[in-house]
Amino acid sequence: MQHKTQLTLSFLLSQVLLLACAEDLECVPGFQQKVFYIEKPFEFREDQLVLNLKFDDCKGNNELNFEVSNPDFTVELDGNLVALKNVSEAGRALFVHARSEHAEDMAEIFILEANEKRGTLKEILKLEGNLGIPRQKRAILATPILIPESQRPPFPRLVGKVIRSEGTEGAKFRLSGKGVDQDPKGIFRINDMNGDVSVTRTLDREEIANYELEVEVVDMNGKTIDGPVRLDISVIDQNDNRPVFKEGPYIGHVMEGSATGTTVMRVAAFDADDASTDNALLRYNILKQTPTKPSPNMFYIDPEKGDIVTVVSPALLDRETMESPKYELVIEAKDMGGKDVGLTGTATATILIDDKNDHAPEFTKKEFQATVKEGVTGVIVNLTVGDRDDPATGAWRAVYSIINGNPGQSFEIHTNPQTNEGMLSVVKPLDYEISAFHTLLIKVENEDPLIPDIAYGPSSTATVQITVEDVNEGPVFHPNPMAVTKQENIPVGSVVLTVNATDPDTLQHQTIRYSVYKDPAGWLEINPANGTVGTTAVLDRESPFVHNNVYTALFLAIDSGNPPATGTGTLHITLEDVNDNVPSLYPTLAKVCDDAKDLRVVVLGASDKDLHPNTDPFKFELSKQSGPEKLWRINRLNNTHAQVILLQNLKKANYNIPISVTDSGKPPLTNTTELRLQVCTCKKSKMDCSASDALHISLTLILLSLLGLFCL
C-alpha cells in the first residue's frame, strides 16, 4: 500500500510539472521530472522498485545510461530506480545522472520522514487551494551536471546544456565562477549561442569535487537580460587512487605464549577516492610472512578493520624455540571492497615476539673457588650463570645475593651488565689471623619475576670457597691519631708522650722499631726502641708550622719481617699560649699641616701574636717629652686603639714621638715605638712635606759634623 501511494504521488507530481512546463517548452531534453520526494521506508529491499524516472533527449535516447550517487542503487534502462541490496540507511537524498548521445541531466530524489513528506507534498501541490502549482516561467533552465574525473582527451568535451525558454534576438549565454573566469580559470566554457557547456581538460575530484557556476543571458551590449542562475557541476569519482599506508613503520609486539586470537596491532591505509563509494572501500590481506616457521600462517588480519591477531596455539608462540623472534608481514590493502578490479597498496608490518620470564637462571657449576690476600679489597671471582631468556630484558638480567656466610658484611656481589656474571668482591679487608677460610652461599634471580608456572630451583644457588693468604702486615699505632696538649716554650728535651704500636701478625713474634717520618719544624725526636717522643727545640705556637694551635707530626713503626712492614702514626700537639710576644704599634708615620685646625693627628692601633688574655686591653703611654712645654698627648679610645693629639701648631719639621704599648699578660710585656710626625705646609689642598724632610736631614748632618769635631 505504501509503495502504491508513493507511485501515485510521484505520478501526480510529474503530471502537474509536465503540464506547467508544456506551455513554455514543447520538448525539453532531460528528465521530465527533476525533483522527487519519497517517504523513507523501514528498509529498501533488494530489487524493489523505488520509483520510475522519465528521461527524454528529444532525439530517441540513443546510448542512454544512468549513474546513481549511492552505489547501493541503480537505474535500469526503462528508468526504474531499484536497490541492489537491502539498504536500511540511504541518506537524505539520491542523485541520478542520465546521459545520452544528445543530452544529459540530473534528477534529485529526497528521502523524507513520514511527517516531512505530508507537509512537503501539501506545499508542493497546494492541495488546500487547487491541484495546480503557481505558473512561474523559467527563462533559463540550468540542470546540475555530473562529470566523471580522469577523462581522457579529446577536449573540449560536451558535458551539459543550458536552455532558455524565451528567445531574444542577439541574446547570448554567459558563464562565470570558479573554473571559468576565476582560478582555476578556463576549465569550463559555454557556447554563447546554444548553451552547450563543455569541459576543456581532465578533472580531478580529489582536488576539486564541486564547482558552483552562474549562467545568465545578456544582450548585445553585455547587459543582463535573464539570470543569473546557479549551475552546479559535480565531479564523479573514479577509482584512480591506490590505497596508501601513511602511518608506518608498523611495529607490533606480542608476548610469547599468548592465547590464540591475541590482537597484536592495527594497520590502516588511506584512499583519496570518494569515501562513500567502493573506490575507497578497502579490504586487507596478508600476502607474505617471513620466516614461515613454525607455521606459515602465524597471524591473521581482519579484512575490514586491519587488526592483526595471532592464530597459532600458545605452545607454538615460544620465543626460545623460534628460528627468529621477529616476523615480517607484507600487508596488502585493496579498494573496490577487495574485488579483483581494485587497486592495491602494500606495507610491511614487523611483529616482535617479546620474552617473558619462563626460564630461571642457573649457575654453571655448584661450587666456585677464590683466593685472596689478607688486607686486600676488590673482585676475587666471577660467578657464571646461564639463562635462555632474551638478553635484552629483565627476564635475562641476573640479580645476585649472598644468603649465608657474610655476617661481617665483608663481601658484596654485583652483576656485570655486559656478561651477566656475578662479580664477588671483598669490601672489608680480611684478617688471616682471625679466619683463614670463608664459605659463602650465593643465590641468583632475575630482575623480572618468573611466570607463575616456573620457580627457582637448586641450580639457582652456588657455594663459594674463599681461602685467605697470610701477608706481613704493618704495625698499628694505638690510638691513631694520637693527641697531646703542651705549653709552648717548654724546655728542650722535654718528653711529649710515648707512642704504642703493635704487630697484627701475632703468630710471627716480630720486634718493632720507631722513627720520625714527618716533623715540619724539626722540633721532635723518638726513641727507636720504646717510642718516647721528646723535644729538640722550643715549641712555638706562633710558628707558621702551627695551624689553629695544633702542630702535626708523623711517626713510623717498622717490624722485623722480611721484607719489613711499616705502619704510620699521626701525632697532634695542641700548644697552649704563653706571653712571649711584645705588642706592636701601627702606623709609625703621620703627617699634619702646620696650620691645621684639627690637631688630632693620628689613631694608633696595637696587635699581639699571643692569645687572649696575653693581648688586649693595651696600655698606651707617651715617653717623657723634652723641653719646657708639652707638645702632644695620647688618649685611649678602646682596648686596642689610642689617638695622638697636638697641643699646639708646630713649625714645619720632622718630630719623633716615643710611644710605649703594654699588653695584659702576666707578667705584661712592653714595647716602645717611635711615631714619626711630619709637619708640612698645606696650600690649596696640597701638602708639601719636602722642606721639613730637608730641614730634618740638614740638622742631622750638622749634629754629626759637630760630634766629629769634638772627637778630634
Side-chain angles (χ1 to χ4, degrees):
M1 180 67 183
Q2 177 182 350
H3 175 60
K4 184 175 181 181
T5 302
Q6 290 177 350
L7 292 179
T8 302
L9 292 173
S10 298
F11 176 76
L12 178 59
L13 180 60
S14 71
Q15 294 302 311
V16 173
L17 291 174
L18 288 174
L19 289 172
C21 296
E23 298 181 17
D24 296 328
L25 298 172
E26 181 178 356
C27 179
V28 178
F31 283 107
Q32 302 307 299
Q33 178 182 341
K34 302 184 186 298
V35 180
F36 296 84
Y37 295 86
I38 63 174
E39 182 177 346
K40 178 182 178 181
F42 176 76
E43 184 179 54
F44 291 98
R45 306 291 296 175
E46 182 177 357
D47 294 332
Q48 173 187 342
L49 175 65
V50 179
L51 55 81
N52 182 263
L53 303 168
K54 297 296 184 181
F55 179 86
D56 188 357
D57 66 358
C58 303
K59 294 186 179 181
N61 287 347
N62 292 332
E63 299 183 9
L64 175 63
N65 62 76
F66 298 92
E67 293 182 11
V68 185
S69 60
N70 190 322
D72 294 333
F73 295 86
T74 187
V75 177
E76 299 172 344
L77 292 178
D78 58 0
N80 288 337
L81 174 66
V82 297
L84 295 174
K85 62 180 182 180
N86 294 340
V87 180
S88 59
E89 182 57 54
R92 298 284 293 172
L94 299 175
F95 299 91
V96 179
H97 177 241
R99 183 197 296 267
S100 70
E101 183 179 1
H102 300 287
E104 67 176 308
D105 199 1
M106 187 174 73
E108 300 171 291
I109 300 100
F110 293 97
I111 303 172
L112 308 175
E113 300 292 342
N115 57 343
E116 292 179 313
K117 190 199 74 167
R118 284 193 298 270
T120 303
L121 288 177
K122 181 184 290 186
E123 180 180 355
I124 294 171
L125 299 177
K126 299 291 184 181
L127 294 179
E128 291 182 351
N130 50 51
L131 292 179
I133 62 173
R135 290 185 69 251
Q136 295 182 355
K137 294 184 179 181
R138 299 178 61 192
I140 302 176
L141 183 61
T143 59
I145 299 174
L146 300 180
I147 306 174
E149 67 171 334
S150 304
Q151 288 182 320
R152 297 180 179 179
F155 292 103
R157 182 190 294 267
L158 181 65
V159 294
K161 189 178 184 67
V162 177
I163 300 172
R164 183 167 180 259
S165 59
E166 298 178 355
T168 302
E169 185 177 353
K172 296 181 179 181
F173 290 101
R174 183 164 65 190
L175 192 63
S176 61
K178 181 179 178 180
V180 181
D181 54 355
Q182 300 175 20
D183 290 331
K185 298 179 180 179
I187 297 178
F188 303 101
R189 64 189 186 190
I190 189 170
N191 187 310
D192 57 4
M193 299 304 297
N194 59 23
D196 288 343
V197 179
S198 302
V199 63
T200 63
R201 56 184 177 223
T202 301
L203 302 181
D204 187 350
R205 189 199 66 85
E206 286 70 43
E207 290 184 2
I208 302 177
N210 297 283
Y211 296 87
E212 297 180 1
L213 308 180
E214 288 187 344
V215 61
E216 56 187 340
V217 177
V218 299
D219 60 18
M220 296 177 59
N221 297 320
K223 182 179 180 180
T224 301
I225 300 175
D226 290 322
V229 173
R230 176 171 164 175
L231 173 61
D232 291 324
I233 298 179
S234 299
V235 182
I236 301 174
D237 185 45
Q238 302 293 313
N239 192 20
D240 58 349
N241 288 279
R242 292 182 177 275
V244 177
F245 290 89
K246 290 185 174 182
E247 299 176 359
Y250 296 94
I251 300 177
H253 295 261
V254 63
M255 188 68 70
E256 65 172 330
S258 295
T260 303
T262 299
T263 299
V264 180
M265 61 191 300
R266 171 176 286 187
V267 297
F270 169 77
D271 195 311
D273 290 320
D274 189 350
S276 66
T277 69
D278 284 354
N279 297 337
L281 183 61
L282 304 183
R283 293 293 181 263
Y284 299 95
N285 181 41
I286 298 176
L287 296 180
K288 183 181 179 182
Q289 171 191 301
T290 306
T292 58
K293 295 179 180 180
S295 169
N297 299 302
M298 299 283 290
F299 306 95
Y300 165 80
I301 188 168
D302 186 303
E304 295 184 4
K305 298 180 180 179
D307 291 338
I308 299 176
V309 299
T310 62
V311 292
V312 294
S313 66
L316 288 180
L317 210 61
D318 185 358
R319 188 182 183 282
E320 285 73 37
T321 62
M322 289 179 172
E323 177 182 328
S324 170
K326 181 173 75 172
Y327 287 84
E328 289 190 349
L329 307 180
V330 178
I331 308 298
E332 176 190 68
K334 181 183 288 188
D335 59 22
M336 297 302 293
K339 296 178 182 178
D340 292 341
V341 296
L343 301 178
T344 62
T346 60
T348 299
T350 301
I351 298 177
L352 302 175
I353 310 301
D354 291 338
D355 187 39
K356 62 182 179 181
N357 200 6
D358 54 354
H359 296 89
E362 298 179 348
F363 284 101
T364 57
K365 52 185 179 181
K366 289 298 297 179
E367 184 174 294
F368 295 85
Q369 304 290 333
T371 300
V372 60
K373 295 181 183 296
E374 66 171 332
V376 176
T377 59
V379 177
I380 59 174
V381 66
N382 290 312
L383 310 183
T384 54
V385 295
D387 196 318
R388 296 172 60 191
D389 291 314
D390 183 4
T393 66
W396 177 81
R397 290 190 290 270
V399 178
Y400 297 88
S401 58
I402 303 173
I403 59 176
N404 196 14
N406 190 29
Q409 304 301 311
S410 299
F411 303 93
E412 287 184 359
I413 188 166
H414 300 281
T415 305
N416 185 318
Q418 281 73 42
T419 64
N420 215 31
E421 295 176 347
M423 302 182 295
L424 181 63
S425 303
V426 176
V427 293
K428 293 182 180 179
L430 304 177
D431 191 338
Y432 172 83
E433 285 71 28
I434 295 177
S435 178
F437 299 96
H438 297 268
T439 300
L440 303 180
L441 186 61
I442 310 296
K443 182 180 181 180
V444 63
E445 297 176 311
N446 289 130
E447 287 185 3
D448 292 347
L450 295 172
I451 63 174
D453 296 338
I454 305 297
Y456 294 104
S459 297
S460 295
T461 58
T463 301
V464 182
Q465 299 290 350
I466 302 168
T467 301
V468 182
E469 295 181 344
D470 188 26
V471 297
N472 186 22
E473 300 173 82
V476 179
F477 284 87
H478 304 283
N480 194 18
M482 300 160 282
V484 66
T485 299
K486 293 293 178 179
Q487 195 174 63
E488 67 172 333
N489 299 336
I490 60 175
V492 175
S494 299
V495 174
V496 178
L497 85 165
T498 298
V499 301
N500 178 37
T502 59
D503 192 342
D505 300 309
T506 56
L507 302 178
Q508 299 183 21
H509 306 290
Q510 300 179 126
T511 60
I512 296 175
R513 60 186 176 87
Y514 300 95
S515 66
V516 177
Y517 179 39
K518 287 186 178 180
D519 180 19
W523 292 342
L524 305 173
E525 64 181 359
I526 189 169
N527 187 305
N530 61 22
T532 299
V533 178
T535 63
T536 60
V538 175
L539 305 183
D540 184 7
R541 190 198 64 83
E542 291 76 32
S543 168
F545 297 107
V546 177
H547 302 285
N548 296 324
N549 304 322
V550 177
Y551 179 71
T552 301
L554 302 180
F555 298 91
L556 297 179
I558 307 166
D559 66 19
S560 58
N562 187 19
T566 302
T568 303
T570 301
L571 172 62
H572 296 308
I573 303 175
T574 300
L575 296 176
E576 295 179 340
D577 186 45
V578 298
N579 194 18
D580 58 347
N581 290 278
V582 298
S584 59
L585 189 72
Y586 62 91
T588 59
L589 174 66
K591 297 181 181 182
V592 65
C593 295
D594 56 2
D595 58 352
K597 295 180 180 179
D598 186 357
L599 298 180
R600 291 174 295 182
V601 176
V602 64
V603 174
L604 299 177
S607 62
D608 196 315
K609 293 182 179 179
D610 293 318
L611 297 178
H612 191 78
N614 296 322
T615 57
D616 61 90
F618 296 108
K619 181 180 179 182
F620 297 88
E621 293 179 304
L622 289 172
S623 296
K624 185 177 180 181
Q625 301 181 41
S626 61
E629 296 181 0
K630 291 184 178 182
L631 301 180
W632 39 72
R633 74 169 185 267
I634 188 166
N635 290 346
R636 181 176 179 272
L637 298 179
N638 52 38
N639 289 346
T640 57
H641 291 80
Q643 189 171 51
V644 176
I645 302 174
L646 289 179
L647 300 178
Q648 62 187 44
N649 290 107
L650 300 179
K651 294 182 179 181
K652 190 175 187 179
N654 288 334
Y655 300 86
N656 291 327
I657 307 173
I659 300 175
S660 61
V661 183
T662 304
D663 62 25
S664 297
K666 293 182 179 180
L669 297 179
T670 301
N671 178 31
T672 300
T673 303
E674 283 193 347
L675 172 66
R676 185 184 180 190
L677 178 63
Q678 291 182 332
V679 179
C680 309
T681 301
C682 300
K683 294 180 179 180
K684 297 182 179 179
S685 301
K686 291 184 179 181
M687 180 176 284
D688 181 12
C689 301
S690 58
S692 61
D693 289 342
L695 177 61
H696 176 75
I697 294 172
S698 300
L699 291 174
T700 303
L701 291 175
I702 293 171
L703 289 173
L704 288 175
S705 301
L706 292 174
L707 286 173
L709 291 174
F710 284 119
C711 291
L712 293 174

